[in-house]
Amino acid sequence: MPVHVHVNVNQSDQHHDVEPRLLLVHYLRDVCGLTGTHVGCETSLCGSCTVLVDGKAVKSCTMFAVQADGSAVTTVEGLAKDGQLHPVQQGFWECHGLQCGFCTPGMMMASVALLAQTAKPSREQITEGLRGNLCRCTGYSHIIDAVNHAAAHGGVRLQPDSAQGVARG
Amino acid sequence: MADANTTPYVGRAMKRIEDPRLITGAGTYTDDLRLSGMVHAAILRSPHAHARIKKIDTAAARAIPGVVAVLTGADVNASCGFVPCAASMPDLKAPKHTVLAGDRVYFVGHAVAVAIASDPYVARDAIDAIDVDYDPLPVVANAEDAVKSGSPLTHPDLGTNVAYTHNVSGGGNIDEAFRKADRIVKHRLYHQRLTPMPIEPRGVVASYHAGEGALTLWTSTQIPHLIRTLLPGMIGVPENKMRIVAPEVGGGFGAKLNVYAEEALISHLAMRLHTPVKWIESRRDNASATIHGRDQIGEYEVAVKNDGTILGLKSKTIADLGSYLQLLTPAVPTLTGLVLTGCYKIPAVKMEIVGVYTHKMATDAYRGAGRPEATYLIERLMDVIAQELKIDRLELRLKHFPAPGDFPFPTSCGLVYDSGNYAAALTKAKQLANWDQLLKDRAAARAAGKLSGIGVSTYVEICAMGPSKAMPAGGWEWGCVRMEISAKVTVITGVSPHGQGQETTFAQIVADRIGVPIEDVVVMHGDTAVAHYGRDTYGSRGTAVGGTAIVMCIDKILTKAKILAAHLFETTVDHVVFEKGTFTSPGVTNRVITWPELAGEFYVAKNLPADLEPGLEASSFFEPQNFTFPFGTHIAVVDVDRDTGQVTITKYVAVDDCGPQINPLIVEGQVQGGIAHSIGQVLFEQTIYDEDGQLVTGEFMDYAIPRAHDIPDYILGSTVTPSPVNPLGVKGVGEAGTIGATPAIANAVMDALEPLGITHMNLPLTPEKVWQAIKSKN
Amino acid sequence: MYPANFDYVRPSTVEEAVRLLAKHGDDAKLLAGGHSLIPAMKLRLARPKVVVDIGRIAHLSYIREAGGAIAIGAMTTHADVQASKTLRDKSPLLAETASHIGDVQVRNKGTIGGSLVHADPAADYPASILALDAEIDVVGPRGTRTIKAVDFFVDLLQTAVAADEIVTEIRVPATAKTVAYVKTEQKASGFALAGAAVVIGPNGVRVGITGVAAKAYRAAGVEKALAGQKLTPDLIARASAQASAGVDPLGDIHASPSFRAHLAQVNTRRALEQAVRRS
């Protein structure tokens, strides 16, 4: 039996009837057409599917779309504003924080969440904040540089309204 | 880009041109494709390592609403040919490798049936509803057991588990070397099986245009062109009606340097069902049915004089190939034989490699492919020899380096190393590591009861693959450069980068040499409809081979441009000066011609010399005359926790010489990424099958790859020794990190344990193994 | 990657959830944070016909002090436990333990109640729940009852919570300040190969061990050896050697039984030393 969901995705209200078994990541990719969020495993370990739900980093492969009903979701597509890259995006670009780019959206969303909590993280805080995100290309050093770059350039900025869900009815 | 107007571009740490789409979520990976009418395939795989299939019942699966078809080997194999192996050897025994299993399965993960449905959830429901009746058969799960008499056979119809025996011998007389030796140092080394684990699993989308008889295949691959060469023989669509696209590819590391059963199967399904078909691999399937790497066991003997002089090296290696040959499966162990002597003068070599079938997934090229195995063994041996003879391990290495004047340096393995200055890299690494202080710190730590170790590796590797005579299917590369009428430059390359950054590095080269702003250069790749020919990306060949093809195109374009410039200047070509994008003719005219004017003249074509064709485009095939041989020195420092066996890397220095660096930021990224693979290999990564051939490490839950907190702060340096093999002088750097780092880290751990009398452990050096070793000495 | 079909219900009260569980029996599974259930469903190791999502039940996520104890709502996420000032000030062991669970994303969704009732033998919380001598409230068709920590973990993936009951609250003493949790992680999954939680109190020491056996346990031998003694380094080392006494350690590719038993001892010693340093 399909269930109605109302999700605010990147500040756009979405209403859909979905199968309960539809995972949030597939909802974002296949229903909302936002394919920047990726799937790299089945066991909540790779972190490629990381998005923000009500401002918190979560793995969208380990959440049903129905659980996000009434929430605000921010994906990688929602980071840049008015053609301006988010400081985390800028940091990843400046520091060569990506190679193949597949883990990058999840890695950046985890970084955004980290900087929202810890404006100037230590190396240890960065590696702990990225514990849930696997990268097989970069060896992480440039990713750590990227987060530091973002921290030094206003990376703390979380989208002002990304932490609030839609009104629940 | 803030610094975009500064030339030269080459040599500068520029941020990448490919990144804006990737950091905004706008890159298109295979799973991001949505075609009208597209249906989804799911593959049912064998839970048995070896079994006879008695019966497959698909009725329940076919009855599920939304299911389009459920097919088995009996339905599709006749239309899909055999999965190809490009490597050939004189006595190679190879099983026929169909896209779905016939009446037997030969490894856990072997594809048995495929379900196609309107939606991937329903496709998964369908394969769950397929009922397969298996009759389990005896399993061969271990290569050393497989060569023993009386072992069950992986493929009973082959009559043996030995796929081939490959002998390498070279240099002087090996028997004499061993007769003259003061001492024979023996060692047994194990290179565990590894799972490449690109974060993007494989995926395929196929679309067939029945009217045109044309197939388009999007696949997450490193080798679109090799697939276009090999797939026609499988599915019967001619090469010139086949378009292969590698969209954004989420990591390869060799795992996507292959032609896989699914590429033929999904193509066939699109033709059969008259609708586009998508298949996306799960992580579990990636772990069980995408190639694995390494898995070699070797016995090594070195003939040495008491002063440390190495006279000869003998080895016997068993390579576990798994149950089938994938594209390069049998060739990978032979690469080990090519670089067995490392960066040393070793006058005589003899190596025997036995390739063995077992009931496991095929091994094939994984980052470094054969060279990490060779480098690990020679670098471990150097430490073992130094330890046995009580000689300084750096002195032992220095003593056997060819001098810079010895290059080109012919090795006993039959290669000619292009250029090198191995001592310079070692010296620089020692400086960066503050070597004398390291020794003092280690002594102090040991005095305080700690287990502290320093490891060194000096390596050379084989890159820029490669001369066609050494490669199964051509080792040249193709490129095309076109100056458009608008003076924008379109570059098309036959290499297929998937993270290596050639959209940027090639643009740097082109912008400098043609003299245009880098923003005016676009580099295209990975689509055989655009890049008609190519030999793709593997073996650290992209820039050294593919980049050279581009340089050849530029030379042709500039030659042609000067002819037109001379015509417009009303002079001869030898009076035309080209510099930074402008043409002048000092002493003839004050007129200055820039690219927009000249490009316009080429395409408007009203004022061309009679014998000059319109248009300004050139293509080239570059055939390298040799491989390139990057080298370097890595130094690792570790602490070992006596109680838990936990190894911590406290310092890491890498000095790599890949020739001149087009973009040092990208070089650094390649080195760092490569070292991470080694950290995984040395400390924890291992693919494990149990004695029944069950894959135990089928998910990230059980197969650990490094995370951010496993990575030390690096001190990276470089030396620059240009290669004479190509005009850029570049050597390649994609695999160097992995090749240099594994022995450095392993040697550091063994050095830490040396005071306890521990002289040997098999990789990976997990906490438990280290703890067991420590305990055994208590 | 693709779970099987199920019916989805989202009760708004505990009572409604209990009625739904009673109605659907074994066909139903509770969905809390989903970090045990959803991966199992994606691999189709779990195929519930009905998923009862208790994520929207009001007032199941809280941390508050009451009557000498700190009460934690069952739906409180690991992240909230980790960040709780109340816990950090008064009874920091659970907060410290939560910081070792999974990763940031997992901690943002996973819940203490869900983790406890899943009873993964390598989960982090059980060691601390045992060391804290916590109480767990459950609600079912027969009303509310309280289960003591020592009675809670029954066997591999089995607890004393009946199939028709829901965990609602966990209570830990508000006075347990001399504590530590030391863990060796399974490299791939991040779960515990051996985790030792210790609480040093006026009436003795309690030690909980997770990851080592089919269920988490109290290291009775260690507790007995330390009872009434001054905690010198020598005594701690001797007592810790009892950390795996009498248990049947698990073995797998990540650690043999003997290594797990050894790590239990090392981590018990290290946790005791750390707690003593903090006291």
Side-chain angles (χ1 to χ4, degrees):
Chain A
M1 271 284 282
V3 176
H4 186 79
V5 295
H6 171 199
V7 188
N8 181 284
V9 181
N10 298 333
Q11 297 171 34
S12 154
D13 275 332
Q14 304 281 331
H15 291 268
H16 297 100
D17 292 326
V18 300
E19 271 191 7
R21 67 167 165 173
L22 185 71
L23 296 166
L24 177 59
V25 66
H26 293 139
Y27 173 76
L28 295 170
R29 289 175 52 81
D30 298 332
V31 179
C32 302
L34 297 167
T35 56
T37 304
H38 298 151
V39 178
C41 77
E42 290 90 69
T43 51
S44 306
L45 280 163
C46 81
S48 299
C49 65
T50 301
V51 300
L52 305 185
V53 174
D54 297 330
K56 288 181 177 165
V58 302
K59 293 181 177 174
S60 62
C61 77
T62 310
M63 190 169 167
F64 294 115
V66 290
Q67 290 176 278
D69 182 27
S71 295
V73 176
T74 306
T75 71
V76 64
E77 290 93 341
L79 282 184
K81 278 284 165 316
D82 307 322
Q84 280 288 103
L85 292 177
H86 186 280
V88 166
Q89 292 172 308
Q90 195 70 39
F92 273 70
W93 192 13
E94 296 287 343
C95 299
H96 189 25
L98 61 149
Q99 290 179 25
C100 82
F102 191 80
C103 75
T104 310
M107 199 66 83
M108 291 194 305
M109 298 314 289
S111 303
V112 168
L114 167 69
L115 293 177
Q117 279 210 319
T118 312
K120 294 277 186 272
S122 65
R123 189 184 199 280
E124 200 182 354
Q125 285 171 320
I126 294 171
T127 60
E128 178 54 34
L130 300 178
R131 176 180 282 265
N133 294 75
L134 298 177
C135 170
R136 195 61 156 164
C137 291
T138 64
Y140 301 100
S141 299
H142 281 165
I143 291 176
I144 295 166
D145 295 346
V147 176
N148 278 323
H149 187 283
H153 293 82
V156 62
R157 170 167 73 90
L158 194 59
Q159 300 311 330
D161 35 7
S162 66
Q164 290 148 30
V166 298
R168 287 190 182 148
Chain B
M1 251 171 253
D3 50 2
N5 294 322
T6 316
T7 55
Y9 298 109
V10 168
R12 282 178 36 227
M14 300 185 69
K15 60 191 182 198
R16 296 198 314 174
I17 290 168
E18 38 277 83
D19 286 358
R21 64 178 186 266
L22 300 175
I23 55 177
T24 53
T28 304
Y29 298 83
T30 303
D31 195 16
D32 302 338
L33 292 163
R34 274 125 183 83
L35 305 186
S36 176
M38 187 169 75
V39 293
H40 301 263
I43 294 174
L44 179 67
R45 296 183 184 275
S46 169
H48 297 283
H50 190 201
R52 190 167 53 244
I53 298 174
K54 287 155 72 179
K55 191 169 163 239
I56 305 177
D57 184 351
T58 61
R62 281 183 280 118
I64 294 171
V67 172
V68 176
V70 182
L71 302 166
T72 69
D75 301 312
V76 303
N77 284 347
S79 308
C80 294
F82 298 107
V83 178
C85 173
S88 60
M89 295 171 153
D91 67 342
L92 183 66
K93 293 188 176 62
K96 297 283 189 203
H97 185 180
T98 53
V99 298
L100 292 179
D103 60 351
R104 281 182 188 232
V105 289
Y106 293 103
F107 64 100
V108 168
H110 197 166
V112 169
V114 59
I116 304 95
S118 54
D119 164 300
Y121 284 73
V122 178
R124 174 64 209 260
D125 293 343
I127 61 169
D128 271 11
I130 300 171
D131 187 18
V132 186
D133 190 2
Y134 294 100
D135 183 11
L137 295 167
V139 173
V140 188
N142 176 298
E144 283 185 294
D145 292 343
V147 294
K148 289 178 186 154
S149 67
S151 165
L153 294 176
T154 305
H155 296 278
D157 49 327
L158 291 183
T160 174
N161 285 326
V162 175
Y164 67 92
T165 303
H166 175 77
N167 289 296
V168 181
S169 57
N173 185 314
I174 191 78
D175 297 327
E176 197 184 312
F178 275 75
R179 267 199 307 276
K180 284 186 179 166
D182 293 328
R183 183 192 282 252
I184 312 293
V185 176
K186 295 185 181 181
H187 211 64
R188 179 187 154 92
L189 288 165
Y190 171 63
H191 245 277
Q192 78 269 36
R193 186 174 273 249
L194 298 170
T195 309
M197 295 289 198
I199 305 302
E200 181 206 31
R202 291 187 294 123
V204 177
V205 174
S207 176
Y208 186 66
H209 191 300
E212 295 173 358
L215 180 88
T216 303
L217 180 73
W218 293 263
T219 177
S220 181
T221 186
Q222 300 170 229
I223 52 163
H225 296 93
L226 292 175
I227 291 174
R228 185 165 173 267
T229 300
L230 292 162
L231 197 57
M234 299 176 76
I235 59 166
V237 175
E239 181 182 4
N240 52 4
K241 296 227 171 187
M242 190 177 284
R243 174 185 172 201
I244 312 292
V245 186
E248 302 291 351
V249 172
F253 320 113
K256 296 174 183 173
L257 160 52
N258 233 299
V259 179
Y260 282 102
E262 293 85 356
E263 285 160 333
L265 174 64
I266 302 303
S267 297
H268 167 70
L269 293 175
M271 294 163 72
R272 182 179 185 128
L273 301 171
H274 305 289
T275 194
V277 182
K278 178 193 272 190
W279 167 77
I280 298 297
E281 189 179 51
S282 67
R283 177 56 54 188
R284 182 162 284 253
D285 288 358
N286 180 266
S288 66
T290 286
I291 63 105
H292 295 159
R294 316 271 197 275
D295 209 345
Q296 288 186 16
I297 308 152
E299 309 271 355
Y300 303 93
E301 292 181 50
V302 192
V304 291
K305 301 293 278 181
N306 281 334
D307 68 354
T309 305
I310 298 172
L311 303 175
L313 170 62
K314 277 200 280 200
S315 79
K316 271 189 119 161
T317 295
I318 292 179
D320 188 336
L321 307 178
S323 64
Y324 280 119
L325 301 181
Q326 284 282 343
L327 191 64
L328 299 168
T329 300
V332 172
T334 67
L335 276 172
T336 305
L338 275 180
V339 69
L340 195 61
T341 53
C343 50
Y344 307 113
K345 293 183 281 189
I346 298 179
V349 176
K350 185 172 190 291
M351 182 180 197
E352 180 192 82
I353 300 162
V354 182
V356 176
Y357 290 117
T358 58
H359 288 123
K360 296 188 253 186
M361 181 58 202
T363 49
D364 204 311
Y366 166 59
R367 201 167 194 170
R371 291 98 84 204
E373 292 90 320
T375 309
Y376 172 62
L377 74 89
I378 191 69
E379 289 307 300
R380 268 308 292 145
L381 286 171
M382 292 308 266
D383 270 23
V384 171
I385 294 165
Q387 200 180 332
E388 286 201 15
L389 297 176
K390 301 196 170 24
I391 308 174
D392 180 83
R393 53 192 167 157
L394 299 188
E395 290 304 320
L396 181 69
R397 286 173 166 85
L398 282 163
K399 179 185 171 85
H400 291 88
F401 283 162
D406 293 342
F407 292 89
F409 174 71
T411 74
S412 300
C413 298
L415 296 174
V416 178
Y417 291 172
D418 57 345
S419 61
N421 189 347
Y422 303 159
L426 175 58
T427 304
K428 182 152 188 189
K430 279 178 68 178
Q431 283 166 358
L432 289 175
N434 201 355
W435 181 259
D436 293 337
Q437 188 60 43
L438 283 187
L439 296 179
K440 282 181 202 155
D441 292 348
R442 182 183 63 178
R446 285 178 176 178
K450 289 186 179 154
L451 298 175
S452 171
I454 305 169
V456 179
S457 99
T458 57
Y459 75 91
V460 64
E461 61 135 337
I462 313 170
C463 276
M465 297 191 185
S468 292
K469 61 180 185 291
M471 307 297 291
W476 44 264
E477 196 44 76
W478 176 88
C480 175
V481 176
R482 182 168 63 240
M483 164 115 5
E484 311 279 4
I485 192 169
S486 56
K488 306 282 185 195
V489 181
T490 302
V491 178
I492 307 169
T493 174
V495 300
S496 195
H498 43 282
Q500 295 86 347
Q502 271 101 6
E503 288 178 38
T504 304
T505 47
F506 285 9
Q508 289 177 266
I509 293 167
V510 169
D512 272 355
R513 291 191 177 227
I514 294 190
V516 293
I518 198 164
E519 305 81 49
D520 286 354
V521 183
V522 169
V523 178
M524 303 176 78
H525 59 82
D527 180 346
T528 64
V530 175
H532 303 127
Y533 264 99
R535 293 290 89 166
D536 307 315
T537 288
Y538 56 88
S540 303
R541 67 191 306 276
T543 304
V545 190
T548 302
I550 301 299
V551 168
M552 290 166 67
C553 297
I554 296 168
D555 291 346
K556 287 182 187 171
I557 278 187
L558 293 179
T559 300
K560 188 174 176 183
K562 279 185 191 169
I563 294 170
L564 180 55
H567 177 71
L568 297 175
F569 289 142
E570 297 176 354
T571 183
T572 53
V573 167
D574 53 343
H575 287 97
V576 175
V577 174
F578 172 72
E579 198 181 12
K580 293 187 174 170
T582 58
F583 295 82
T584 54
S585 189
V588 175
T589 168
N590 289 331
R591 190 173 165 192
V592 174
I593 298 177
T594 59
W595 279 119
E597 181 185 351
L598 200 67
E601 293 287 356
F602 264 111
Y603 289 92
V604 174
K606 295 185 194 308
N607 186 15
L608 300 181
D611 53 353
L612 198 67
E613 289 178 13
L616 190 54
E617 172 181 312
S619 64
S620 284
F621 286 82
F622 171 59
E623 173 61 46
Q625 295 308 306
N626 192 2
F627 302 107
T628 60
F629 297 89
F631 58 90
T633 296
H634 286 212
I635 298 174
V637 185
V638 302
D639 282 338
V640 177
D641 183 324
R642 221 178 253 277
D643 289 334
T644 63
Q646 181 68 47
V647 174
T648 306
I649 301 171
T650 57
K651 186 167 197 170
Y652 199 97
V653 175
V655 173
D656 295 280
D657 190 325
C658 59
Q661 300 183 6
I662 310 291
N663 185 328
L665 189 61
I666 288 177
V667 169
E668 198 174 87
Q670 291 295 311
V671 171
Q672 290 170 348
I675 298 171
H677 283 230
S678 289
I679 290 172
Q681 168 162 16
V682 176
L683 299 181
F684 42 82
E685 285 188 39
Q686 55 182 334
T687 308
I688 299 176
Y689 286 88
D690 68 13
E691 64 269 27
D692 298 322
Q694 286 297 324
L695 178 64
V696 186
T697 49
E699 290 282 358
F700 283 133
M701 293 294 283
D702 291 305
Y703 190 93
I705 69 170
R707 299 178 196 233
H709 61 264
D710 294 312
I711 304 300
D713 266 328
Y714 297 116
I715 300 169
L716 301 183
S718 57
T719 56
V720 178
T721 309
S723 170
V725 175
N726 62 67
L728 292 165
V730 298
K731 292 196 165 193
V733 73
E735 294 156 292
T738 303
I739 290 162
T742 299
I745 301 165
N747 281 342
V749 177
M750 296 313 296
D751 184 54
L753 300 176
E754 193 260 325
L756 302 177
I758 297 163
T759 53
H760 180 63
M761 288 172 64
N762 282 334
L763 298 181
L765 307 176
T766 59
E768 175 157 11
K769 264 192 229 166
V770 172
W771 171 70
Q772 293 280 10
I774 294 170
K775 199 171 70 151
S776 73
K777 297 292 176 183
N778 279 345
Chain C
M1 193 61 217
Y2 305 104
N5 261 316
F6 56 84
D7 286 329
Y8 175 80
V9 281
R10 189 195 286 164
S12 48
T13 65
V14 171
E15 294 68 29
E16 192 187 345
V18 168
R19 275 198 302 278
L20 286 163
L21 281 182
K23 179 179 162 194
H24 295 289
D26 290 346
D27 289 344
K29 271 277 186 193
L30 284 184
L31 175 66
H35 275 53
S36 303
L37 180 62
I38 296 176
M41 289 177 70
K42 288 196 295 183
L43 296 169
R44 301 211 173 184
L45 302 171
R47 306 181 61 149
K49 291 203 174 70
V50 180
V51 168
V52 179
D53 180 359
I54 55 173
R56 296 292 166 83
I57 295 178
H59 317 306
L60 273 184
S61 173
Y62 55 83
I63 297 169
R64 58 181 171 239
E65 195 176 354
I70 296 170
I72 303 160
M75 289 296 290
T76 308
T77 63
H78 310 322
D80 286 344
V81 171
Q82 179 184 359
S84 163
K85 191 168 182 322
T86 306
L87 280 171
R88 291 201 167 266
D89 288 349
K90 303 275 172 85
S91 185
L93 182 57
L94 278 185
E96 182 182 352
T97 307
S99 73
H100 288 268
I101 299 173
D103 51 53
V104 172
Q105 295 96 315
V106 168
R107 295 196 289 271
N108 279 337
K109 280 300 287 179
T111 64
I112 186 167
S115 172
L116 289 177
V117 84
H118 183 59
D120 190 302
D124 292 294
Y125 277 140
S128 301
I129 289 293
L130 284 166
L132 287 162
D133 212 8
E135 294 179 332
I136 296 108
D137 282 354
V138 298
V139 176
R142 297 164 298 282
T144 302
R145 66 188 179 110
T146 298
I147 306 172
K148 293 189 73 66
V150 285
D151 301 322
F152 189 82
F153 302 103
V154 174
D155 205 341
L156 190 79
L157 304 175
Q158 275 180 39
T159 67
V161 183
D164 57 2
E165 291 179 319
I166 297 175
V167 174
T168 52
E169 184 176 284
I170 295 92
R171 280 185 305 280
V172 298
T175 50
K177 280 191 141 166
T178 307
V179 299
Y181 179 67
V182 174
K183 164 197 188 179
T184 303
E185 67 167 22
Q186 196 262 59
K187 190 70 197 161
S189 69
F191 276 83
L193 285 181
V198 304
V199 175
I200 300 175
N203 304 317
V205 176
R206 286 189 303 267
V207 179
I209 308 279
T210 191
V212 176
K215 61 167 185 164
Y217 61 91
R218 285 267 295 271
V222 182
E223 294 181 4
K224 198 171 152 207
L226 298 173
Q229 307 284 314
K230 182 167 166 24
L231 302 184
T232 64
D234 273 359
L235 177 65
I236 286 173
R238 275 202 312 281
S240 299
Q242 301 299 312
S244 45
V247 303
D248 189 10
L250 299 169
D252 57 23
I253 59 163
H254 303 290
S256 66
S258 63
F259 192 47
R260 275 195 168 81
H262 169 75
L263 289 175
Q265 296 165 27
V266 171
N267 290 338
T268 297
R269 173 169 55 77
R270 290 182 176 181
L272 285 165
E273 288 167 351
Q274 200 173 85
V276 167
R277 275 199 302 276
R278 288 170 176 174
S279 65

